[in-house]
Amino acid sequence: MRKSFLVLLILGIMTASSGCGVNDISEPETDGEIKIGVTVYDQYDTFISSILEDLNEDVLKARNETGRGIVLETYNSAQSQATQDDQVEEMIKDGCDVICVNLVDRTAPSNIIDTARNADVPIVFFNRELVDEDMHRWDKLYYVGADAFLSGIMQGELAVDVIREKNVDKNGDGEIQYVMLEGEAGHQDAIVRSENCVNRMLELGVKLDKLGYAIANWNRAQAATQMEKMIKNYGPEIEFVFANNDDMALGAIDAYNASGMNRGSWPYIIGIDGTDPGLSAVKDGTMAATVYNDAKGQAEAIFQLAYRLSCGESLSGLELQGDKYIRLPYQKITQENVDKFR
Ligand code: BGC
């Protein structure tokens, strides 16, 4: 098996007597040390890498607070579901107490669920959401993410604010000519964000004219290439660029920078995520606004679930919906409040 990335973060040595906390209902199977396995669909995805960083910080903090030995094993599946399936087997052989999975293919969790269920190791899925039916295949499956439709609604509302405040309708035809940069086909956030953004704007009375769209798989370089083509096709006609995430919005900005087009004639460009480079672009005004996808909150929820499940500790207080789901809220980010997020 090709494993292109493995980080073993060993955070302190556990004394045999330390427990998980006051609510322990059973002892962990390791010698007091907790081993959390994490596999991500692509470690180079900006949003996912920020979740990993935050998760590392949570582990360090918990180690300091509890004095407990906590090991975080992190694997990159490099966009291969087969690789990810193997990684989960390896983590279980390796004695992980819990597995956190950012699925490559959110419709193909079967092998992973079977492997974990046979070994009785709980799974915390995150960011790439399984269908409800798969989530109910075992009671030790959890999901951490966000309500995708809300991010689309917020993006639409932010865009309407820009349209009401600025001269967006450059050709004065009463409609906003726009293009859409979409995330991976089949990803719950891509479809839902595009639809809800557009529908919300229509609901608020904005007339829209869709010039084109392109799938850029959440990726900045792919978005730049796609945007370059759309600039060639539609040139100054484009008044707004909607991107399903910040990296693709940044790719659009890269394409406009490379186009040599006068900055004053660029369209307004809007993203979702509030990643560090996304926030900088909102700050400097190249991105009109973005929607905060709470990587920190999601990492903390993943860690809390993983830690308590490893310890056999109660999950009470974690605000689980339907005993399985934790969804963090989104927030609107504009130049006015961007500093709060940096
Ligand atoms: C984020 C994207 C990210 C994707 C990965 C989405 O929720 O907004 O930035 O690329 O998840 O699955």
mmCIF file of all heavy atoms in Angstrom, residues 248-288:
data_model
loop_
_atom_site.group_PDB
_atom_site.id
_atom_site.type_symbol
_atom_site.label_atom_id
_atom_site.label_comp_id
_atom_site.label_asym_id
_atom_site.label_seq_id
_atom_site.Cartn_x
_atom_site.Cartn_y
_atom_site.Cartn_z
ATOM 1 N N MET A 248 -11.329 28.420 -4.754
ATOM 2 C CA MET A 248 -11.733 28.654 -6.152
ATOM 3 C C MET A 248 -11.949 30.151 -6.410
ATOM 4 O O MET A 248 -11.636 30.643 -7.499
ATOM 5 C CB MET A 248 -12.973 27.829 -6.487
ATOM 6 C CG MET A 248 -12.695 26.326 -6.430
ATOM 7 S SD MET A 248 -14.044 25.305 -7.062
ATOM 8 C CE MET A 248 -15.336 25.638 -5.889
ATOM 9 N N ALA A 249 -12.427 30.882 -5.406
ATOM 10 C CA ALA A 249 -12.545 32.344 -5.566
ATOM 11 C C ALA A 249 -11.150 32.946 -5.765
ATOM 12 O O ALA A 249 -10.954 33.836 -6.600
ATOM 13 C CB ALA A 249 -13.229 32.946 -4.334
ATOM 14 N N LEU A 250 -10.179 32.413 -5.023
ATOM 15 C CA LEU A 250 -8.801 32.911 -5.164
ATOM 16 C C LEU A 250 -8.237 32.559 -6.540
ATOM 17 O O LEU A 250 -7.471 33.325 -7.128
ATOM 18 C CB LEU A 250 -7.915 32.325 -4.052
ATOM 19 C CG LEU A 250 -8.249 32.846 -2.643
ATOM 20 C CD1 LEU A 250 -7.666 31.929 -1.565
ATOM 21 C CD2 LEU A 250 -7.741 34.272 -2.444
ATOM 22 N N GLY A 251 -8.630 31.393 -7.049
ATOM 23 C CA GLY A 251 -8.230 31.003 -8.409
ATOM 24 C C GLY A 251 -8.782 31.993 -9.431
ATOM 25 O O GLY A 251 -8.095 32.373 -10.387
ATOM 26 N N ALA A 252 -10.040 32.435 -9.207
ATOM 27 C CA ALA A 252 -10.634 33.425 -10.115
ATOM 28 C C ALA A 252 -9.845 34.732 -10.041
ATOM 29 O O ALA A 252 -9.548 35.363 -11.074
ATOM 30 C CB ALA A 252 -12.101 33.658 -9.739
ATOM 31 N N ILE A 253 -9.469 35.116 -8.823
ATOM 32 C CA ILE A 253 -8.677 36.350 -8.655
ATOM 33 C C ILE A 253 -7.328 36.199 -9.387
ATOM 34 O O ILE A 253 -6.880 37.116 -10.080
ATOM 35 C CB ILE A 253 -8.473 36.654 -7.146
ATOM 36 C CG1 ILE A 253 -9.827 37.011 -6.517
ATOM 37 C CG2 ILE A 253 -7.450 37.774 -6.943
ATOM 38 C CD1 ILE A 253 -9.820 37.082 -4.993
ATOM 39 N N ASP A 254 -6.718 35.010 -9.261
ATOM 40 C CA ASP A 254 -5.446 34.758 -9.976
ATOM 41 C C ASP A 254 -5.638 34.966 -11.477
ATOM 42 O O ASP A 254 -4.801 35.579 -12.142
ATOM 43 C CB ASP A 254 -4.966 33.308 -9.742
ATOM 44 C CG ASP A 254 -4.573 33.042 -8.278
ATOM 45 O OD1 ASP A 254 -4.319 34.018 -7.540
ATOM 46 O OD2 ASP A 254 -4.529 31.848 -7.889
ATOM 47 N N ALA A 255 -6.765 34.444 -11.988
ATOM 48 C CA ALA A 255 -7.015 34.556 -13.435
ATOM 49 C C ALA A 255 -7.189 36.022 -13.840
ATOM 50 O O ALA A 255 -6.675 36.455 -14.882
ATOM 51 C CB ALA A 255 -8.250 33.747 -13.819
ATOM 52 N N TYR A 256 -7.896 36.796 -13.009
ATOM 53 C CA TYR A 256 -8.067 38.226 -13.351
ATOM 54 C C TYR A 256 -6.740 38.965 -13.259
ATOM 55 O O TYR A 256 -6.437 39.809 -14.104
ATOM 56 C CB TYR A 256 -9.148 38.874 -12.476
ATOM 57 C CG TYR A 256 -10.509 38.614 -13.076
ATOM 58 C CD1 TYR A 256 -11.315 37.596 -12.591
ATOM 59 C CD2 TYR A 256 -10.948 39.346 -14.181
ATOM 60 C CE1 TYR A 256 -12.550 37.320 -13.176
ATOM 61 C CE2 TYR A 256 -12.176 39.082 -14.777
ATOM 62 C CZ TYR A 256 -12.969 38.071 -14.265
ATOM 63 O OH TYR A 256 -14.165 37.796 -14.869
ATOM 64 N N ASN A 257 -5.940 38.613 -12.253
ATOM 65 C CA ASN A 257 -4.625 39.243 -12.158
ATOM 66 C C ASN A 257 -3.808 38.965 -13.412
ATOM 67 O O ASN A 257 -3.156 39.851 -13.953
ATOM 68 C CB ASN A 257 -3.862 38.711 -10.929
ATOM 69 C CG ASN A 257 -4.135 39.560 -9.697
ATOM 70 O OD1 ASN A 257 -4.221 40.793 -9.787
ATOM 71 N ND2 ASN A 257 -4.279 38.909 -8.553
ATOM 72 N N ALA A 258 -3.878 37.700 -13.879
ATOM 73 C CA ALA A 258 -3.083 37.305 -15.050
ATOM 74 C C ALA A 258 -3.655 37.892 -16.337
ATOM 75 O O ALA A 258 -2.943 38.016 -17.337
ATOM 76 C CB ALA A 258 -3.020 35.782 -15.146
ATOM 77 N N SER A 259 -4.944 38.246 -16.320
ATOM 78 C CA SER A 259 -5.596 38.709 -17.559
ATOM 79 C C SER A 259 -5.151 40.113 -17.969
ATOM 80 O O SER A 259 -5.350 40.518 -19.109
ATOM 81 C CB SER A 259 -7.119 38.723 -17.372
ATOM 82 O OG SER A 259 -7.487 39.835 -16.562
ATOM 83 N N GLY A 260 -4.586 40.809 -17.013
ATOM 84 C CA GLY A 260 -4.166 42.183 -17.320
ATOM 85 C C GLY A 260 -5.341 43.161 -17.363
ATOM 86 O O GLY A 260 -5.172 44.344 -17.655
ATOM 87 N N MET A 261 -6.547 42.640 -17.086
ATOM 88 C CA MET A 261 -7.728 43.517 -17.112
ATOM 89 C C MET A 261 -7.624 44.554 -15.986
ATOM 90 O O MET A 261 -7.199 44.229 -14.879
ATOM 91 C CB MET A 261 -8.985 42.647 -16.900
ATOM 92 C CG MET A 261 -10.277 43.363 -17.184
ATOM 93 S SD MET A 261 -11.704 42.340 -16.729
ATOM 94 C CE MET A 261 -11.872 41.306 -18.142
ATOM 95 N N ASN A 262 -7.998 45.752 -16.292
ATOM 96 C CA ASN A 262 -7.990 46.833 -15.310
ATOM 97 C C ASN A 262 -8.827 46.439 -14.086
ATOM 98 O O ASN A 262 -9.968 46.003 -14.236
ATOM 99 C CB ASN A 262 -8.581 48.051 -16.040
ATOM 100 C CG ASN A 262 -8.693 49.239 -15.142
ATOM 101 O OD1 ASN A 262 -9.259 49.154 -14.043
ATOM 102 N ND2 ASN A 262 -8.160 50.358 -15.611
ATOM 103 N N ARG A 263 -8.273 46.595 -12.926
ATOM 104 C CA ARG A 263 -8.931 46.144 -11.684
ATOM 105 C C ARG A 263 -10.357 46.702 -11.545
ATOM 106 O O ARG A 263 -11.268 46.040 -11.076
ATOM 107 C CB ARG A 263 -8.029 46.558 -10.507
ATOM 108 C CG ARG A 263 -8.535 46.305 -9.133
ATOM 109 C CD ARG A 263 -8.358 44.856 -8.712
ATOM 110 N NE ARG A 263 -9.147 44.626 -7.512
ATOM 111 C CZ ARG A 263 -8.730 44.859 -6.290
ATOM 112 N NH1 ARG A 263 -7.509 45.260 -6.071
ATOM 113 N NH2 ARG A 263 -9.532 44.649 -5.265
ATOM 114 N N GLY A 264 -10.543 47.930 -12.008
ATOM 115 C CA GLY A 264 -11.854 48.568 -11.918
ATOM 116 C C GLY A 264 -12.925 47.855 -12.741
ATOM 117 O O GLY A 264 -14.119 47.989 -12.470
ATOM 118 N N SER A 265 -12.524 47.083 -13.738
ATOM 119 C CA SER A 265 -13.537 46.369 -14.534
ATOM 120 C C SER A 265 -13.683 44.899 -14.153
ATOM 121 O O SER A 265 -14.415 44.154 -14.809
ATOM 122 C CB SER A 265 -13.272 46.492 -16.047
ATOM 123 O OG SER A 265 -12.046 47.045 -16.345
ATOM 124 N N TRP A 266 -13.016 44.465 -13.108
ATOM 125 C CA TRP A 266 -13.207 43.092 -12.630
ATOM 126 C C TRP A 266 -14.644 42.930 -12.107
ATOM 127 O O TRP A 266 -15.241 43.887 -11.597
ATOM 128 C CB TRP A 266 -12.304 42.799 -11.432
ATOM 129 C CG TRP A 266 -10.848 42.633 -11.701
ATOM 130 C CD1 TRP A 266 -10.148 43.054 -12.793
ATOM 131 C CD2 TRP A 266 -9.906 42.037 -10.812
ATOM 132 N NE1 TRP A 266 -8.821 42.756 -12.634
ATOM 133 C CE2 TRP A 266 -8.641 42.125 -11.428
ATOM 134 C CE3 TRP A 266 -9.989 41.435 -9.557
ATOM 135 C CZ2 TRP A 266 -7.484 41.629 -10.835
ATOM 136 C CZ3 TRP A 266 -8.847 40.945 -8.958
ATOM 137 C CH2 TRP A 266 -7.602 41.036 -9.597
ATOM 138 N N PRO A 267 -15.155 41.712 -12.157
ATOM 139 C CA PRO A 267 -16.436 41.456 -11.498
ATOM 140 C C PRO A 267 -16.226 41.359 -9.984
ATOM 141 O O PRO A 267 -15.081 41.296 -9.518
ATOM 142 C CB PRO A 267 -16.830 40.081 -12.047
ATOM 143 C CG PRO A 267 -15.540 39.425 -12.391
ATOM 144 C CD PRO A 267 -14.587 40.516 -12.791
ATOM 145 N N TYR A 268 -17.304 41.321 -9.237
ATOM 146 C CA TYR A 268 -17.197 41.029 -7.803
ATOM 147 C C TYR A 268 -17.057 39.513 -7.661
ATOM 148 O O TYR A 268 -17.679 38.745 -8.411
ATOM 149 C CB TYR A 268 -18.425 41.563 -7.067
ATOM 150 C CG TYR A 268 -18.369 43.077 -6.995
ATOM 151 C CD1 TYR A 268 -18.848 43.854 -8.042
ATOM 152 C CD2 TYR A 268 -17.760 43.709 -5.918
ATOM 153 C CE1 TYR A 268 -18.741 45.230 -8.016
ATOM 154 C CE2 TYR A 268 -17.654 45.083 -5.870
ATOM 155 C CZ TYR A 268 -18.138 45.843 -6.923
ATOM 156 O OH TYR A 268 -18.014 47.204 -6.890
ATOM 157 N N ILE A 269 -16.235 39.109 -6.699
ATOM 158 C CA ILE A 269 -15.928 37.680 -6.532
ATOM 159 C C ILE A 269 -16.206 37.305 -5.076
ATOM 160 O O ILE A 269 -15.779 38.011 -4.158
ATOM 161 C CB ILE A 269 -14.438 37.402 -6.875
ATOM 162 C CG1 ILE A 269 -14.161 37.798 -8.334
ATOM 163 C CG2 ILE A 269 -14.078 35.926 -6.629
ATOM 164 C CD1 ILE A 269 -12.695 37.815 -8.733
ATOM 165 N N ILE A 270 -16.929 36.214 -4.882
ATOM 166 C CA ILE A 270 -17.317 35.844 -3.523
ATOM 167 C C ILE A 270 -17.044 34.354 -3.274
ATOM 168 O O ILE A 270 -17.233 33.525 -4.171
ATOM 169 C CB ILE A 270 -18.801 36.219 -3.276
ATOM 170 C CG1 ILE A 270 -19.192 36.118 -1.809
ATOM 171 C CG2 ILE A 270 -19.755 35.393 -4.131
ATOM 172 C CD1 ILE A 270 -20.513 36.818 -1.480
ATOM 173 N N GLY A 271 -16.576 34.030 -2.056
ATOM 174 C CA GLY A 271 -16.246 32.633 -1.742
ATOM 175 C C GLY A 271 -17.007 32.114 -0.534
ATOM 176 O O GLY A 271 -18.004 32.706 -0.106
ATOM 177 N N ILE A 272 -16.535 30.994 -0.030
ATOM 178 C CA ILE A 272 -17.055 30.396 1.216
ATOM 179 C C ILE A 272 -15.877 29.698 1.886
ATOM 180 O O ILE A 272 -15.091 29.033 1.185
ATOM 181 C CB ILE A 272 -18.161 29.341 0.939
ATOM 182 C CG1 ILE A 272 -19.428 30.004 0.390
ATOM 183 C CG2 ILE A 272 -18.489 28.516 2.203
ATOM 184 C CD1 ILE A 272 -20.575 29.056 0.054
ATOM 185 N N ASP A 273 -15.732 29.829 3.179
ATOM 186 C CA ASP A 273 -14.747 29.120 4.025
ATOM 187 C C ASP A 273 -14.109 30.024 5.077
ATOM 188 O O ASP A 273 -14.004 29.632 6.216
ATOM 189 C CB ASP A 273 -13.581 28.462 3.254
ATOM 190 C CG ASP A 273 -13.903 27.052 2.784
ATOM 191 O OD1 ASP A 273 -14.889 26.466 3.277
ATOM 192 O OD2 ASP A 273 -13.176 26.546 1.913
ATOM 193 N N GLY A 274 -13.583 31.182 4.607
ATOM 194 C CA GLY A 274 -12.829 32.006 5.556
ATOM 195 C C GLY A 274 -11.512 31.337 5.925
ATOM 196 O O GLY A 274 -11.096 31.352 7.083
ATOM 197 N N THR A 275 -10.847 30.730 4.933
ATOM 198 C CA THR A 275 -9.493 30.204 5.169
ATOM 199 C C THR A 275 -8.568 31.412 5.332
ATOM 200 O O THR A 275 -8.949 32.546 4.983
ATOM 201 C CB THR A 275 -9.005 29.390 3.954
ATOM 202 O OG1 THR A 275 -9.083 30.235 2.797
ATOM 203 C CG2 THR A 275 -9.860 28.150 3.731
ATOM 204 N N ASP A 276 -7.338 31.188 5.767
ATOM 205 C CA ASP A 276 -6.424 32.328 5.951
ATOM 206 C C ASP A 276 -6.249 33.143 4.661
ATOM 207 O O ASP A 276 -6.414 34.360 4.679
ATOM 208 C CB ASP A 276 -5.066 31.861 6.492
ATOM 209 C CG ASP A 276 -5.193 31.417 7.944
ATOM 210 O OD1 ASP A 276 -6.217 31.747 8.580
ATOM 211 O OD2 ASP A 276 -4.281 30.718 8.441
ATOM 212 N N PRO A 277 -5.939 32.475 3.519
ATOM 213 C CA PRO A 277 -5.801 33.302 2.299
ATOM 214 C C PRO A 277 -7.121 33.943 1.872
ATOM 215 O O PRO A 277 -7.128 35.048 1.316
ATOM 216 C CB PRO A 277 -5.293 32.323 1.235
ATOM 217 C CG PRO A 277 -5.442 30.954 1.799
ATOM 218 C CD PRO A 277 -5.543 31.075 3.286
ATOM 219 N N GLY A 278 -8.235 33.290 2.171
ATOM 220 C CA GLY A 278 -9.552 33.866 1.844
ATOM 221 C C GLY A 278 -9.790 35.121 2.662
ATOM 222 O O GLY A 278 -10.236 36.159 2.140
ATOM 223 N N LEU A 279 -9.463 35.062 3.950
ATOM 224 C CA LEU A 279 -9.655 36.235 4.817
ATOM 225 C C LEU A 279 -8.774 37.397 4.365
ATOM 226 O O LEU A 279 -9.207 38.551 4.362
ATOM 227 C CB LEU A 279 -9.346 35.868 6.280
ATOM 228 C CG LEU A 279 -10.296 34.851 6.943
ATOM 229 C CD1 LEU A 279 -9.796 34.483 8.337
ATOM 230 C CD2 LEU A 279 -11.728 35.375 7.009
ATOM 231 N N SER A 280 -7.546 37.089 3.945
ATOM 232 C CA SER A 280 -6.656 38.163 3.471
ATOM 233 C C SER A 280 -7.250 38.827 2.238
ATOM 234 O O SER A 280 -7.159 40.049 2.077
ATOM 235 C CB SER A 280 -5.273 37.624 3.097
ATOM 236 O OG SER A 280 -4.709 36.995 4.201
ATOM 237 N N ALA A 281 -7.869 38.015 1.361
ATOM 238 C CA ALA A 281 -8.463 38.588 0.141
ATOM 239 C C ALA A 281 -9.684 39.450 0.465
ATOM 240 O O ALA A 281 -9.927 40.455 -0.204
ATOM 241 C CB ALA A 281 -8.827 37.467 -0.834
ATOM 242 N N VAL A 282 -10.437 39.065 1.496
ATOM 243 C CA VAL A 282 -11.569 39.908 1.906
ATOM 244 C C VAL A 282 -11.016 41.209 2.489
ATOM 245 O O VAL A 282 -11.494 42.304 2.197
ATOM 246 C CB VAL A 282 -12.481 39.185 2.927
ATOM 247 C CG1 VAL A 282 -13.541 40.135 3.480
ATOM 248 C CG2 VAL A 282 -13.150 37.971 2.283
ATOM 249 N N LYS A 283 -9.977 41.074 3.274
ATOM 250 C CA LYS A 283 -9.365 42.249 3.904
ATOM 251 C C LYS A 283 -8.881 43.240 2.836
ATOM 252 O O LYS A 283 -9.124 44.435 2.937
ATOM 253 C CB LYS A 283 -8.192 41.772 4.786
ATOM 254 C CG LYS A 283 -7.408 42.868 5.452
ATOM 255 C CD LYS A 283 -8.028 43.288 6.760
ATOM 256 C CE LYS A 283 -7.247 44.428 7.402
ATOM 257 N NZ LYS A 283 -7.979 45.081 8.462
ATOM 258 N N ASP A 284 -8.187 42.706 1.801
ATOM 259 C CA ASP A 284 -7.637 43.647 0.809
ATOM 260 C C ASP A 284 -8.645 44.004 -0.295
ATOM 261 O O ASP A 284 -8.331 44.726 -1.240
ATOM 262 C CB ASP A 284 -6.304 43.138 0.223
ATOM 263 C CG ASP A 284 -6.476 41.954 -0.727
ATOM 264 O OD1 ASP A 284 -7.564 41.757 -1.293
ATOM 265 O OD2 ASP A 284 -5.493 41.213 -0.918
ATOM 266 N N GLY A 285 -9.849 43.461 -0.187
ATOM 267 C CA GLY A 285 -10.925 43.872 -1.101
ATOM 268 C C GLY A 285 -10.972 43.133 -2.432
ATOM 269 O O GLY A 285 -11.849 43.390 -3.253
ATOM 270 N N THR A 286 -10.048 42.180 -2.669
ATOM 271 C CA THR A 286 -10.130 41.452 -3.947
ATOM 272 C C THR A 286 -11.286 40.448 -3.919
ATOM 273 O O THR A 286 -11.850 40.120 -4.958
ATOM 274 C CB THR A 286 -8.801 40.718 -4.282
ATOM 275 O OG1 THR A 286 -8.322 40.083 -3.098
ATOM 276 C CG2 THR A 286 -7.765 41.659 -4.829
ATOM 277 N N MET A 287 -11.640 39.968 -2.723
ATOM 278 C CA MET A 287 -12.828 39.115 -2.591
ATOM 279 C C MET A 287 -13.890 39.959 -1.889
ATOM 280 O O MET A 287 -13.612 40.600 -0.872
ATOM 281 C CB MET A 287 -12.484 37.878 -1.755
ATOM 282 C CG MET A 287 -13.360 36.669 -2.076
ATOM 283 S SD MET A 287 -13.142 35.331 -0.893
ATOM 284 C CE MET A 287 -11.602 34.644 -1.367
ATOM 285 N N ALA A 288 -15.107 39.990 -2.475
ATOM 286 C CA ALA A 288 -16.132 40.891 -1.949
ATOM 287 C C ALA A 288 -16.576 40.486 -0.539
ATOM 288 O O ALA A 288 -16.899 41.347 0.286
ATOM 289 C CB ALA A 288 -17.327 40.905 -2.886
#
